[in-house]
Amino acid sequence: MIFRPKYITFDCYGTLTYFRMHELAYAIVGEQLSPERMQQFIKDFSALRLDEAMGDWKPYDQVLKSSWARVCKRHGVTYREEDGQKFYDAVPTWGPHTDVPHALTRVGNKIPLVILSNAMNEQIDSNVRKLEAPFHKVYTAQDAGAYKPRLQAFEYMLDQLGCSPDDILHVSSSPRYDLMSAHDMGIKNKVFVNRGHEPKPSEFYTHVEIRDINGLPALVGL
């Protein structure tokens, strides 16, 4: 695949920014659960965050606090609201995967880069600065009034860019949040960054797989 899109659009957290929710969860409750239970706790926390994102938009701190309360209840762990807030406060401190800045800058100097992220506006700027690459636009769930995987988030991005699904290449490490929805939006050109935190997408959701962002320049002929 060599495709020169009008825009390359990205998921941010997990794909570009190293998503560290699991580390903080271990720090808060790791000593209360066995290693096996803790692994399941992390999986359940992830699933519940996705579930919280599927309804009407609400501020991201509410998404995190509600999903944290639900997973604590499921595993018999004491819930403290201040723990839920810790996740929200930590997000802007996270930096990129080590492969991101150089490869992304190389691509961004030739093709406009765009982020579509499940974030609040007050969070995302810090993370984007740490990516050290030129971005044309950054759109958030707060802007769109919807979280991915809802199609409303993708519709908002395409409307703001004034382009069609055929004009973009969408890049994500998350089939569930991004690639499946992008497929449903008619975005034919998709890249799965296999960071190992989600299963590979089915071949039905046509995509090209790369190990990290170092593989991206070749896909766009750079």
Side-chain angles (χ1 to χ4, degrees), residues 116-166:
L116 177 63
S117 177
N118 280 358
M120 296 286 284
N121 294 335
E122 67 179 8
Q123 294 177 303
I124 194 72
D125 287 346
S126 175
N127 300 111
V128 172
R129 285 195 301 271
K130 292 179 178 66
L131 299 176
E132 300 178 4
F135 278 90
H136 174 67
K137 293 291 182 181
V138 176
Y139 302 119
T140 68
Q142 184 177 4
D143 295 327
Y147 291 101
K148 298 177 297 179
R150 293 193 60 197
L151 299 187
Q152 181 178 332
F154 289 89
E155 289 170 336
Y156 175 84
M157 178 181 69
L158 292 174
D159 287 346
Q160 293 299 306
L161 292 174
C163 69
S164 77
D166 290 337

Side-chain angles (χ1 to χ4, degrees), residues 61-213:
D61 62 330
Q62 294 181 24
V63 169
L64 291 174
K65 289 175 182 177
S66 181
S67 55
W68 184 250
R70 291 169 69 186
V71 74
C72 287
K73 179 180 179 181
R74 182 178 296 187
H75 287 267
V77 173
T78 300
Y79 169 74
R80 299 183 303 175
E81 185 169 347
E82 58 266 31
D83 289 337
Q85 185 66 35
K86 288 178 183 177
F87 290 97
Y88 184 82
D89 293 341
V91 170
T93 71
W94 297 337
H97 291 282
T98 56
D99 55 273
V100 168
H102 176 74
L104 205 58
T105 298
R106 179 180 172 190
V107 174
N109 287 333
K110 299 293 184 179
I111 303 171
L113 308 179
V114 176
I115 281 177
L116 177 63
S117 177
N118 280 358
M120 296 286 284
N121 294 335
E122 67 179 8
Q123 294 177 303
I124 194 72
D125 287 346
S126 175
N127 300 111
V128 172
R129 285 195 301 271
K130 292 179 178 66
L131 299 176
E132 300 178 4
F135 278 90
H136 174 67
K137 293 291 182 181
V138 176
Y139 302 119
T140 68
Q142 184 177 4
D143 295 327
Y147 291 101
K148 298 177 297 179
R150 293 193 60 197
L151 299 187
Q152 181 178 332
F154 289 89
E155 289 170 336
Y156 175 84
M157 178 181 69
L158 292 174
D159 287 346
Q160 293 299 306
L161 292 174
C163 69
S164 77
D166 290 337
D167 292 326
I168 69 172
L169 174 66
H170 191 67
V171 181
S172 178
S173 63
S174 175
R176 292 192 296 176
Y177 276 96
D178 281 83
L179 298 181
M180 295 167 67
S181 294
H183 175 88
D184 291 341
M185 284 294 299
I187 299 171
K188 298 176 183 178
N189 298 289
K190 300 179 289 296
V191 176
F192 172 53
V193 185
N194 191 355
R195 299 287 189 191
H197 59 81
E198 284 192 25
K200 295 182 179 182
S202 163
E203 292 183 2
F204 176 80
Y205 301 102
T206 53
H207 65 280
V208 173
E209 180 178 328
I210 57 178
R211 184 179 63 183
D212 56 39
I213 300 301

